[in-house]
Amino acid sequence: MSTAEQYLALARDARAAAARANLPHDRARLLQQHDYWLKCALKAGTRSAQAG
């Protein structure tokens, strides 16, 4: 599994946790984590495309 795929899995997990969160501030924090992991995946994918 590539680094980008690992980041996407983390983003998916954060999104799923946000859907289960009961408190609005927990949901917001988890959605911020989701966005962060998506940005990391994009950067990792871009780096691997440039290297390949």
Side-chain angles (χ1 to χ4, degrees):
M1 181 181 283
S2 72
T3 303
E5 290 171 329
Q6 290 174 343
Y7 288 145
L8 287 175
L10 289 168
R12 184 186 62 239
D13 293 346
R15 178 66 120 175
R20 294 187 307 268
N22 293 325
L23 300 174
H25 66 274
D26 287 340
R27 191 174 303 117
R29 180 182 53 81
L30 288 163
L31 289 174
Q32 285 177 341
Q33 285 182 350
H34 171 262
D35 291 347
Y36 172 79
W37 290 124
L38 282 181
K39 288 176 190 175
C40 290
L42 181 62
K43 288 179 185 178
T46 303
R47 280 194 302 267
S48 66
Q50 288 173 348

